[in-house]
Amino acid sequence: MTNLAQNLLDSAAERESRPALRMDDAVLTYGEFRDAALRVAAALQGRGVRPGDRVGLVLPNVLAFPVVLYGALLAGAAVVPMNPLLKAREVQYYLEDSGARVVVTLGSTAEPVREAAGTVGVEAVVVGPASPSELMADEPLAEPVERSDEDLAVILYTSGTTGQPKGAELTHANLGRNAVTTADTLAENTPDDVIMGCLPLFHVFGLTCGLNTAVLRGSLLTLIPRFDGGKALEVIERDRVTIFEGVPTMFAAMLHQPDADRHDVSSLRLCVSGGSAMPVEIMRSFEERFGCIILEGYGLSETSPVASFNHPHAARKPGSIGTPIRGVEMRLVDDEGEDVGPGEVGEIAIRGENVMTGYWQRDEETAKAIPDGWFRTGDLARKDDDGYFFIVDRKKEMIIRGGYNVYPREIEEALYEHPAVAEVAVIGISHPDLGEEVAAAVALKPGAGAEVEELREFVKSRVAAYKYPRHLWLVDTLPKGPTGKILRRSVEVPQEVGTR
């Protein structure tokens, strides 16, 4: 395999006048997308960017993002995507750690990026949302820079739940092959498909399953800069979206829109969920209301991201992350790296063409994460007799109450069955005798009502006595990460309840 950006050149050669990217009224055809990316590549080279150099990218889901990303790849650079909500000190860390040579941003996020770039001593280029004309040379790059399978394409910084964020090194082969497998076996997309780009493109789920897969197959990617459930339903109807990809909170937001039934979403043929576990009740309600099947999968930044899936032509098991995809192996191991017994909970370990080469300039962390060729995910799961994996929880988020293991997801699933509940986060708080006590923050659906005691009794009747949340409180909304994933670690505990 050569440069990942070759996919853009191939699709543009086959369907030059077909729309490739859309953001409301702004549309780029594949020919325009290619030409703009080649001019960006030439401009980057003119700024001294050489093969292997890093280019920072601080953009939301606007047309400029794919153009600059593919332009940087065509120039042979590796891209460092960043959340546009980052503050100056955070951008500074990414720029310093990655050794980026230049950083590209939007006018609305320019101030912290310029500040960070000035501190580090690199150039910050501010571009427009519909076209990065400020970073486009008069003449396009003549030929894409050749890259090998092992060459670095993207550095994706993980969320850094412990210590500073680490940069996962993903190669052209990692991303290219994961996109091919997604297109071939999961999305089965064609040039006639319209893929919904709600997922942040700076996150690996949106990057691979949305952008790279669309470019590979010559599909249309329609973008929403900032996710909103009502806006998503409007765009599905307007653009006749056929493939919707999102995290569970996005499905819940669309499901709970007061006017959801007024939108024609009959064009949808496939919905893909990932990023965090899909509550079974949300899945069932969404499918009933919108008449569309949701396929749940699993992956991480370090695995490009897709590792397993409920495959389209196999039995689908709600609540399961399915089976490993082509080119990937998964097993469950104990703390010593030995396989656990049938039906037992173990940590998911992954080996295959999707696994990163390591963490950028962190040999010790890499050796810890991939001690024997198998990447340790930190996620706990069970495997059934059919080989389907079921996530139990994050290893670090498991609650140990009086010596008993309590998995937050199980308690959240029980609470999601209550008709008034929209979102839940179950966490552990300190307890002088038990070590940890189970607690739950709950957000209700718009217009719905439920008492705390009612909710507590509801879940108490569904789980073992040691598992139900002794502490439960209502919130307007729950903290979420850049993809919309609920962040348990950021849930604020009321003073009267206790401490984490």
Side-chain angles (χ1 to χ4, degrees):
M1 179 180 289
T2 56
N3 196 317
L4 174 66
Q6 185 65 41
N7 291 334
L8 172 58
L9 305 184
D10 293 344
S11 289
E14 292 172 22
R15 46 191 67 87
E16 187 164 4
S17 60
R18 291 284 292 269
L21 303 168
R22 179 171 185 180
M23 182 180 66
D24 288 332
D25 295 333
V27 179
L28 284 181
T29 66
Y30 268 96
E32 291 167 337
F33 182 6
R34 172 200 59 206
D35 294 347
L38 285 168
R39 289 174 63 193
V40 166
L44 287 171
Q45 286 190 341
R47 283 173 157 82
V49 172
R50 297 292 173 257
D53 284 349
R54 276 76 61 203
V55 173
L57 194 52
V58 192
L59 294 171
N61 280 18
V62 294
L63 298 188
F65 187 112
V67 172
V68 175
L69 178 111
Y70 273 81
L73 293 175
L74 287 164
V79 182
V80 185
M82 302 176 222
N83 187 337
L85 298 178
L86 293 176
K87 303 297 184 188
R89 59 182 291 277
E90 296 167 309
V91 175
Q92 180 183 334
Y93 170 77
Y94 289 126
L95 294 177
E96 288 178 333
D97 191 70
S98 67
R101 194 174 183 92
V102 62
V103 60
V104 185
T105 189
L106 206 62
S108 56
T109 54
E111 190 178 336
V113 175
R114 276 190 172 131
E115 181 185 332
T119 303
V120 178
V122 301
E123 182 184 9
V125 183
V126 180
V127 300
S131 170
S133 55
E134 297 83 355
L135 190 64
M136 289 165 62
D138 293 336
E139 295 297 323
L141 186 71
E143 291 288 336
V145 173
E146 191 71 20
R147 297 275 81 191
S148 73
D149 282 3
E150 294 74 32
D151 282 329
L152 188 61
V154 168
I155 300 177
L156 285 175
Y157 280 85
T158 60
S159 53
T161 51
T162 55
Q164 290 277 40
K166 303 183 291 287
E169 300 173 301
L170 299 178
T171 65
H172 286 264
N174 286 151
L175 293 168
R177 288 172 185 161
N178 208 243
V180 169
T181 299
T182 299
D184 285 351
T185 63
L186 306 178
E188 298 182 321
N189 61 304
T190 72
D192 295 325
D193 275 309
V194 179
I195 301 175
M196 183 85 160
C198 293
L199 293 159
L201 296 178
F202 60 79
H203 187 271
V204 69
F205 188 3
L207 178 64
T208 293
C209 302
L211 176 58
N212 290 344
T213 304
V215 169
L216 174 72
R217 285 287 183 264
S219 308
L220 169 63
L221 181 70
T222 185
L223 296 169
I224 298 181
R226 186 180 176 86
F227 181 79
D228 172 84
K231 174 70 171 179
L233 290 169
E234 287 174 20
V235 173
I236 291 171
E237 181 174 12
R238 183 195 73 195
D239 294 350
R240 307 302 294 160
V241 170
T242 58
I243 301 174
F244 177 86
E245 300 167 343
V247 294
T249 50
M250 291 179 177
F251 288 94
M254 292 160 67
L255 178 64
H256 299 143
Q257 282 298 309
D259 64 345
D261 292 331
R262 292 212 294 270
H263 293 281
D264 177 10
V265 297
S266 59
S267 58
L268 282 176
R269 68 169 180 81
L270 174 67
C271 291
V272 175
S273 178
S276 60
M278 166 67 82
V280 176
E281 189 59 29
I282 297 288
M283 178 185 282
R284 185 191 62 76
S285 300
F286 189 95
E287 291 183 343
E288 277 183 11
R289 170 169 276 195
F290 297 119
C292 180
I293 292 294
I294 298 173
L295 296 180
E296 186 171 9
Y298 168 76
L300 308 95
S301 296
E302 293 91 338
T303 60
S304 301
V306 188
S308 69
F309 228 87
N310 281 273
H311 291 65
H313 304 296
R316 183 180 64 125
K317 298 192 178 187
S320 167
I321 57 170
T323 56
I325 63 168
R326 185 179 70 198
V328 174
E329 299 172 86
M330 283 171 51
R331 52 195 274 254
L332 300 177
V333 300
D334 59 21
D335 290 341
E336 280 71 50
E338 300 296 324
D339 291 331
V340 302
E344 290 183 13
V345 173
E347 181 179 2
I348 297 175
I350 300 172
R351 181 171 70 179
E353 61 190 22
N354 61 335
V355 176
M356 66 173 183
T357 55
Y359 291 117
W360 175 256
Q361 296 184 333
R362 282 176 172 77
D363 294 342
E364 199 174 307
E365 296 278 7
T366 299
K368 199 182 300 180
I370 317 174
D372 49 7
W374 291 82
F375 171 66
R376 301 297 199 275
T377 63
D379 288 316
L380 301 175
R382 290 189 185 90
K383 187 167 73 168
D384 70 9
D385 294 338
D386 298 321
Y388 282 68
F389 287 78
F390 292 78
I391 292 279
V392 175
D393 239 308
R394 284 291 296 172
K395 198 172 181 180
K396 296 183 180 72
E397 292 179 341
M398 181 176 70
I399 301 165
I400 303 177
R401 182 185 186 272
Y404 289 96
N405 293 346
V406 179
Y407 300 108
R409 188 195 170 188
E410 180 187 0
I411 315 307
E412 289 167 355
E413 288 281 3
L415 276 162
Y416 272 116
E417 291 175 15
H418 191 286
V421 171
E423 294 179 344
V424 188
V426 170
I427 59 173
I429 60 172
S430 299
H431 190 280
D433 301 321
L434 299 169
E436 286 184 293
E437 185 56 275
V438 184
V442 179
L444 301 179
K445 294 176 184 175
E451 298 296 323
V452 165
E453 192 56 38
E454 172 194 345
L455 293 170
R456 189 184 291 114
E457 289 301 315
F458 181 84
V459 71
K460 185 178 179 181
S461 68
R462 283 164 168 74
V463 300
Y466 69 89
K467 295 181 181 177
Y468 81 88
R470 267 57 174 184
H471 302 284
L472 190 150
W473 61 95
L474 299 178
V475 295
D476 293 331
T477 186
L478 287 166
K480 299 179 182 70
T483 60
K485 178 179 177 179
I486 293 171
L487 299 178
R488 293 192 187 110
R489 67 178 183 273
S490 299
V491 170
E492 292 186 5
V493 181
Q495 197 168 1
E496 64 272 16
V497 170
T499 58
R500 299 295 282 270

